[in-house]
Amino acid sequence: MPGSWTLGIVKPDAVAGRKMGAILARIEERGFRLAAGRMVRLGVPEARAFYAVHRERPFFDELVEFMTSGPCFPVALEREDAVAAFRAVIGATNPADAAEGTIRRDFAESMGRNAVHGSDSDENALREIGFFFTEADLARLAG
Ligand code: IDP
Ligand code: MG
């Protein structure tokens, strides 16, 4: 059954800490189809563009520095009610507040270095998937 879409990112802290495999396994266990994924090293302009909605926030420079500090692994995910379901699987932004069994509770180090990204709306999910993957990628990988 085709579902809706969200964009997840295994962030640089989790890739460097060799948690990526465990995190992708958790995502699959929670019912998501990994439709596309690739290892990416973001440059500063790309990270600033991806997080442009946060450009006025006090943590913006720290966020950009972190997201460009090493490779990350964006994934296009499909599932019923994908955006809300994935937000529930990743947990609160601050791992200290994240519920038991969430990815951030189990794998994140701190509010900034918090292991995963998840889109916050259907509209942003499509924009963010388009940031990393082309229509052709998704069509070619469909199944
Ligand atoms: P979200 O990732 O749970 O949607 P947002 O508020 O959209 O959280 O923030 C985007 C990212 O910016 C967070 O995942 C985290 O990496 C970083 N961030 C948010 N708030 C802070 C902070 O207070 N200090 C440092 N980094 C932060
Ligand atoms: Mg957000």
Side-chain angles (χ1 to χ4, degrees):
M1 181 182 64
S4 59
W5 292 83
T6 194
L7 188 277
I9 305 177
V10 183
K11 290 185 176 182
D13 59 322
V15 173
R18 304 189 183 187
K19 313 254 174 70
M20 186 172 84
I23 289 171
L24 295 178
R26 178 82 60 94
I27 291 169
E28 285 191 317
E29 282 160 13
R30 299 297 156 90
F32 293 86
R33 185 173 74 86
L34 286 162
R38 68 190 176 95
M39 195 72 84
V40 177
R41 177 78 183 262
L42 289 175
V44 168
E46 290 173 290
R48 291 180 67 91
F50 183 80
Y51 279 114
V53 295
H54 294 314
R55 66 185 172 276
E56 306 298 340
R57 309 282 285 277
F59 58 81
F60 184 65
D61 288 347
E62 181 187 337
L63 175 61
V64 169
E65 189 182 340
F66 164 56
M67 289 302 293
T68 58
S69 66
C72 65
F73 198 87
V75 285
L77 301 173
E78 187 183 20
R79 207 200 97 145
E80 189 184 344
D81 200 15
V83 167
F86 193 61
R87 295 293 303 193
V89 166
I90 70 180
T93 307
N94 186 344
D97 301 329
E100 222 169 287
T102 61
I103 291 173
R104 282 168 169 168
R105 171 77 165 254
D106 292 342
F107 299 104
E109 294 171 21
S110 65
M111 179 91 162
R113 300 168 62 83
N114 62 358
V116 279
H117 167 83
S119 306
D120 63 7
S121 68
D122 287 342
E123 185 189 351
N124 282 337
L126 295 185
R127 180 183 72 78
E128 292 175 1
I129 288 171
F131 192 91
F132 291 109
F133 304 103
T134 65
E135 292 273 347
D137 286 329
L138 296 172
R140 195 152 30 83
L141 297 170

